[in-house]
Amino acid sequence: PGPGIYPSAGIRKTLMDALPACLQADDIALKLRKEKREPTSAEAQIIKKADDFRDAIVQVASYDHLGAVEQQEGYVRPAIAQTQDWLANGIGAAVNGDNSHSKVHAAASSSN
């Protein structure tokens, strides 16, 4: 086959397992935003499960230097700067049990 997306059987299963979890987590995030409250521990577990699926599925190639702008001394690509900020100030904490990542997810969803 030519270029394209040809997921393995394992990835197809992950995608099928992830869909209901992600839809449920998105519904919870919408509910939390409307009710202006933090998730319960059960809701936080569902959101974390969906976030874990998303992290396993979404893989992005990152290149430090692509063009003339990237070659300038001290330049940091916005996505890299944002990721570094998240890791320093919140999303990294989600791995350790708090729900900062879900707050970021909810905030990102509210901008749509």
Side-chain angles (χ1 to χ4, degrees), residues 4 6 23 30 39 43 63-64 70 84 88 106:
Y6 300 97
L23 291 174
L30 178 64
E43 290 168 332
Y63 304 94
D64 289 333
E70 288 83 358
Q84 290 170 340

Side-chain angles (χ1 to χ4, degrees), residues 84-95 98-101 104:
Q84 290 170 340
D85 182 58
W86 283 349
L87 292 173
N89 298 306
I91 286 185
V95 174
D98 88 16
N99 60 2
S100 301
H101 191 200
V104 172

Side-chain angles (χ1 to χ4, degrees), residues 6-98:
Y6 300 97
S8 68
I11 293 295
R12 283 193 299 272
K13 179 173 179 355
T14 300
L15 288 169
M16 297 305 292
D17 292 344
L19 184 60
C22 291
L23 291 174
Q24 185 179 17
D26 288 349
D27 287 343
I28 291 169
L30 178 64
K31 181 179 174 182
L32 294 174
R33 205 169 45 251
K34 284 182 180 180
E35 295 176 4
K36 297 180 181 176
R37 65 175 179 84
E38 295 296 314
T40 64
S41 62
E43 290 168 332
Q45 287 177 341
I46 293 167
I47 292 169
K48 178 161 181 2
K49 181 179 178 182
D51 288 344
D52 290 345
F53 273 127
R54 289 180 180 112
D55 289 343
I57 293 168
V58 178
Q59 308 227 347
V60 179
S62 176
Y63 304 94
D64 289 333
H65 303 288
L66 294 175
V69 174
E70 288 83 358
Q71 298 299 324
Q72 295 175 358
E73 183 69 31
Y75 177 81
V76 178
R77 291 180 44 220
I80 292 174
Q82 181 181 32
T83 300
Q84 290 170 340
D85 182 58
W86 283 349
L87 292 173
N89 298 306
I91 286 185
V95 174
N96 296 321
D98 88 16

